[in-house]
Amino acid sequence: MIGFLSDFGRENGYVGSMKAVAGSICEDRLIDISHKTKKHDVRRGAFILYNTYRFFPFKSVFVCVVDPGVGTERRGIAIETEEYVFVGPDNGLMFPAANDCGDYNVFELSNKEYMLEGVSETFDGRDVFAPIGAHIADGVEIEDLGPQIEEIKELNFGDWKFENGSLRGEIIFIDSFGNLVTNIPYNKVKNRLDFGDKISYKSEEIPFYRSYGCVDENNLVLTVGGHGNIEISANKGDAAKITGLKERDGFMLKIN
Amino acid sequence: MIGFLSDFGRENGYVGSMKAVAGSICEDRLIDISHKTKKHDVRRGAFILYNTYRFFPFKSVFVCVVDPGVGTERRGIAIETEEYVFVGPDNGLMFPAANDCGDYNVFELSNKEYMLEGVSETFDGRDVFAPIGAHIADGVEIEDLGPQIEEIKELNFGDWKFENGSLRGEIIFIDSFGNLVTNIPYNKVKNRLDFGDKISYKSEEIPFYRSYGCVDENNLVLTVGGHGNIEISANKGDAAKITGLKERDGFMLKIN
Amino acid sequence: MIGFLSDFGRENGYVGSMKAVAGSICEDRLIDISHKTKKHDVRRGAFILYNTYRFFPFKSVFVCVVDPGVGTERRGIAIETEEYVFVGPDNGLMFPAANDCGDYNVFELSNKEYMLEGVSETFDGRDVFAPIGAHIADGVEIEDLGPQIEEIKELNFGDWKFENGSLRGEIIFIDSFGNLVTNIPYNKVKNRLDFGDKISYKSEEIPFYRSYGCVDENNLVLTVGGHGNIEISANKGDAAKITGLKERDGFMLKIN
């Protein structure tokens, strides 16, 4: 299976041409993760990839293009982990997902044999990453793509900590429902939080429940999102609008 | 074939992870019906499904997730009809389509064997409906999913009637072109309406024609939409904007 | 492979039903080019198709539906070139792509045997173009679709010229990044332009570089886009907003 992630949107034919290129090379299923991650926002794209890759079958390849540095000196790379291969720019986009897999090896994409002929300067997604991803899915050895390299650009989702009865963290991601996804993995704090607990955010009390429907419509609720992180939501409402919190904002939640 | 319907949008990886899960289980073609049906709007989702399912080949399975009650007591169900299986929440979403197929049997989704391990509380689409839909497509017997149940949540698209030379009905759906789809099936009124007839809506006369292009640009026209219902449209224009009508608004059309 | 292009958006089930119909008929891979080309804008759709088709493998079929004249006298046609077949309305939409392939033959779609039964008046995409495209992909002879015709609607992307040291052209397309794609193919002017040259647009100097990243953030830069045309862009910024240029606007670039 090949998963595609980009910030291309669908108003153009960019995604279609990437998938046409890949589909010309290999028979694998082509699955869109998202093409509307938010233009140029590498960190947001990284979070979506990190939260999605594990649902793909082993041996899947990911073609990832949130790439504001296309055409500059930033390298194209392939990251090989035990179960997956990630292909895209060396700007941190694929780091959290690859790192989450355990050990990895990285190769610079320099062998033009597996790229489209007449590579353009501005569309590596179509000309480099899509064909190389498809060739890997088709059995090409990753060592054939170019030299192995040691250092790649790292990216993380900010710090969080538990201190004096409070959780301090950061909003990584706001989804299309307005759910505020924090950078706090539930399994790291689960001995501190029980369902039914009340948490204070600013002057407001927010209960921690299993699901949105446990509170009245438009009321805030703390839950564990589908990605496994703590999330501030509102039942059938938009928690981002209600709280005014934006991506990358910090917050403090006091456990009562 | 597996058809996917949700209100997830594509800014997240939610749809991608559902399809990755399903694609890991079965070889069937994965077709997106829509993932932008309108958040939490079960009735609108139900209409889209009802108008689309019949174009899928027999034995197709539908994974349907417009599910504002996820994580509450609402059940997950599979509805088996002679030709299709619908998998999703028991909130009426799949009722009009299933009912349109004729007889059906319903099973509650309780057998965890066919769900993802470590099911989250907030993402049944990925953890329950997608894998179960794929297992059904792959040949699992529907009786193995859980107990058969008798009653499910029904949903209809409002009443309409013909009275004193007037059609009274309701707007069910406004599509991306601004076409106003009514809840009146053309084949129920076709002995009352002939192409070329004039219909009055408020103080305006609207002709009933085969197609948009029979009137001047931006003029209103009554047609039969691709779904088979009466539709108020404007040639190359937006009938919703012109009339001010919104989804669920009632209307009266006088046949002159 | 079958490529789909339309202006349907994804808020409806329209695309899903087209692909379900096609997928019921043939096993080919179904690839979305774009369904958000811009409603009723045949020229913009034509440009997206023209820039994407060549990345599909030979023998691919394209189902194209930007079709404001659906239901009127405009014909449905199939255009056969040496490598590809294009199926859609005779309104110019497919002309630039087909013409770019070299010689072509055109057939009017009149044989109802390959359409859906009970064709609606308003949804040829689902009822005519999708099934016919899939039948062609499945091996049906194009001569069986209807009579060969000689004349079809042509469409071009406007004129451009080099005169007195200036390039005069037109903006054909603004992509989702705000890149301004001109109607000037780089390979027609490459003996007049060198990377590093400065070009004047109004009172502003814009450098011609290989890629966006060669200028500072939000600065304008002239590049060769992925489609091979000259493009006015801004590094990580929106050139359309910065310049105020809109699709179909003319411009003059003075080569300094």
Side-chain angles (χ1 to χ4, degrees), chain A residues 147-211:
Chain A
Q148 186 161 2
I149 56 182
E150 293 306 318
E151 299 267 308
I152 58 168
K153 182 95 184 283
E154 302 193 1
L155 181 154
N156 69 58
F157 300 124
D159 297 321
W160 63 271
K161 61 183 169 186
F162 183 81
E163 198 179 53
N164 302 328
S166 291
L167 280 170
R168 285 166 187 275
E170 207 176 297
I171 304 298
I172 329 181
F173 182 75
I174 299 176
D175 75 10
S176 52
F177 292 88
N179 295 315
L180 298 158
V181 180
T182 76
N183 62 347
I184 306 175
Y186 172 58
N187 63 18
K188 298 280 175 64
V189 296
K190 72 173 141 193
N191 58 344
R192 304 191 187 277
L193 265 178
D194 290 313
F195 291 111
D197 282 359
K198 300 271 185 194
I199 286 91
S200 299
Y201 170 67
K202 293 186 174 169
S203 61
E204 193 147 8
E205 284 217 320
I206 308 175
F208 178 50
Y209 282 135
R210 285 183 187 278
S211 191

Side-chain angles (χ1 to χ4, degrees), chain B residues 1 29 31-34 36-37 44 48 52 55-57 173 175-177 210-213 224-226 235-236, chain C residues 7-8 10-14 16-17 20-21 23-24 26-28 30 39-40 68 70-72 116 121-122 126:
Chain B
M1 209 175 280
R29 226 190 254 269
I31 300 284
D32 295 308
I33 298 175
S34 173
K36 298 172 68 176
T37 61
R44 198 175 203 268
I48 293 174
T52 311
F55 299 98
F56 282 71
F173 182 75
D175 75 10
S176 52
F177 292 87
R210 287 182 187 276
S211 191
Y212 317 127
V224 182
N235 185 18
K236 297 187 200 179
Chain C
D7 61 351
F8 291 163
R10 297 303 301 248
E11 302 80 5
N12 327 289
Y14 300 161
S17 55
V21 165
S24 302
C26 81
E27 296 287 322
D28 280 45
L30 310 176
K39 301 215 175 304
H40 307 308
V70 60
T72 62
L116 279 202
E121 301 286 342
T122 51
R126 180 192 69 201

Side-chain angles (χ1 to χ4, degrees), chain A residues 1 29 31-34 36-37 44 48 52 55-57 173 175-177 210-213 224-226 235-236, chain B residues 7-8 10-14 16-17 20-21 23-24 26-28 30 39-40 68 70-72 116 121-122 126:
Chain A
M1 210 175 281
R29 225 191 255 271
I31 299 283
D32 295 308
I33 297 175
S34 173
K36 299 171 69 176
T37 62
R44 199 176 203 267
I48 293 175
T52 311
F55 298 99
F56 282 72
F173 182 75
D175 75 10
S176 52
F177 292 88
R210 285 183 187 278
S211 191
Y212 317 126
V224 182
N235 185 18
K236 297 187 197 178
Chain B
D7 61 351
F8 290 163
R10 297 303 301 249
E11 302 81 4
N12 326 290
Y14 300 163
S17 55
V21 165
S24 302
C26 81
E27 296 287 321
D28 281 44
L30 311 175
K39 301 217 174 301
H40 308 309
V70 60
T72 63
L116 280 204
E121 301 286 343
T122 51
R126 181 193 67 199

Side-chain angles (χ1 to χ4, degrees), chain A residues 112-127:
Chain A
K112 291 193 186 305
E113 191 181 337
Y114 301 114
M115 305 178 189
L116 279 203
E117 276 180 63
V119 167
S120 72
E121 300 285 341
T122 51
F123 196 176
D124 280 358
R126 181 193 67 200
D127 301 339

Side-chain angles (χ1 to χ4, degrees), chain A residues 106-111 114 141-149:
Chain A
V106 187
F107 297 82
E108 185 173 347
L109 308 178
S110 61
N111 186 347
Y114 301 114
E141 295 296 327
I142 198 163
E143 290 79 4
D144 288 348
L145 302 176
Q148 186 161 2
I149 56 182

Side-chain angles (χ1 to χ4, degrees), chain C residues 169-231:
Chain C
E170 206 176 298
I171 304 299
I172 329 181
F173 183 75
I174 299 177
D175 75 9
S176 52
F177 292 87
N179 294 316
L180 298 158
V181 181
T182 75
N183 63 347
I184 306 175
Y186 172 58
N187 62 18
K188 299 280 176 65
V189 295
K190 70 174 141 191
N191 57 344
R192 304 192 185 276
L193 265 178
D194 290 312
F195 291 110
D197 282 359
K198 301 272 184 194
I199 287 90
S200 299
Y201 170 67
K202 294 185 173 170
S203 60
E204 193 147 8
E205 284 217 321
I206 308 175
F208 179 50
Y209 281 136
R210 287 183 187 279
S211 190
Y212 317 127
C214 303
V215 298
D216 289 341
E217 235 171 278
N218 279 311
N219 278 20
L220 291 175
V221 58
L222 209 71
T223 65
V224 183
H227 28 73
N229 283 20
I230 298 285
E231 178 178 306

Side-chain angles (χ1 to χ4, degrees), chain A:
Chain A
M1 210 175 281
I2 302 183
F4 291 85
L5 177 84
S6 81
D7 61 350
F8 291 162
R10 298 301 303 247
E11 301 81 6
N12 326 291
Y14 300 162
V15 173
S17 55
M18 280 207 302
K19 292 171 76 179
V21 166
S24 302
I25 293 168
C26 81
E27 296 287 322
D28 281 44
R29 225 191 255 271
L30 311 176
I31 299 283
D32 295 308
I33 297 175
S34 173
H35 298 288
K36 299 171 69 176
T37 62
K38 197 167 177 183
K39 300 215 176 305
H40 308 309
D41 190 337
V42 177
R43 193 162 170 266
R44 199 176 203 267
F47 183 72
I48 293 175
L49 181 64
Y50 166 79
N51 275 304
T52 311
Y53 85 88
R54 71 199 73 183
F55 298 99
F56 282 72
F58 288 173
K59 300 293 147 205
S60 289
V61 177
F62 297 91
V63 171
C64 308
V65 205
V66 181
D67 190 19
V70 61
T72 63
E73 291 305 301
R74 76 96 188 90
R75 300 177 293 196
I77 55 174
I79 312 180
E80 182 186 43
T81 73
E82 199 179 347
E83 292 103 4
Y84 300 107
V85 178
F86 301 88
V87 177
D90 180 20
N91 62 10
L93 176 63
M94 310 181 290
F95 179 78
N99 193 47
D100 192 52
C101 294
D103 291 338
Y104 56 82
N105 294 309
V106 187
F107 297 82
E108 185 173 347
L109 308 178
S110 61
N111 186 347
K112 291 193 186 305
E113 191 181 337
Y114 301 114
M115 305 178 189
L116 279 203
E117 276 180 63
V119 167
S120 72
E121 300 285 341
T122 51
F123 196 176
D124 280 358
R126 181 193 67 200
D127 301 339
V128 178
F129 304 140
I132 286 180
H135 280 298
I136 293 170
D138 201 41
V140 164
E141 295 296 327
I142 198 163
E143 290 79 4
D144 288 348
L145 302 176
Q148 186 161 2
I149 56 182
E150 293 306 318
E151 299 267 308
I152 58 168
K153 182 95 184 283
E154 302 193 1
L155 181 154
N156 69 58
F157 300 124
D159 297 321
W160 63 271
K161 61 183 169 186
F162 183 81
E163 198 179 53
N164 302 328
S166 291
L167 280 170
R168 285 166 187 275
E170 207 176 297
I171 304 298
I172 329 181
F173 182 75
I174 299 176
D175 75 10
S176 52
F177 292 88
N179 295 315
L180 298 158
V181 180
T182 76
N183 62 347
I184 306 175
Y186 172 58
N187 63 18
K188 298 280 175 64
V189 296
K190 72 173 141 193
N191 58 344
R192 304 191 187 277
L193 265 178
D194 290 313
F195 291 111
D197 282 359
K198 300 271 185 194
I199 286 91
S200 299
Y201 170 67
K202 293 186 174 169
S203 61
E204 193 147 8
E205 284 217 320
I206 308 175
F208 178 50
Y209 282 135
R210 285 183 187 278
S211 191
Y212 317 126
C214 303
V215 297
D216 289 341
E217 234 171 279
N218 279 311
N219 279 20
L220 291 175
V221 58
L222 209 71
T223 65
V224 182
H227 29 72
N229 283 19
I230 298 286
E231 178 178 306
I232 306 168
S233 299
N235 185 18
K236 297 187 197 178
D238 186 314
K241 278 196 194 144
I242 294 173
T243 62
L245 281 168
K246 289 186 289 294
E247 286 186 6
R248 305 203 185 192
D249 280 357
F251 62 82
M252 190 186 80
L253 297 172
K254 197 166 173 328
I255 302 176
N256 298 347

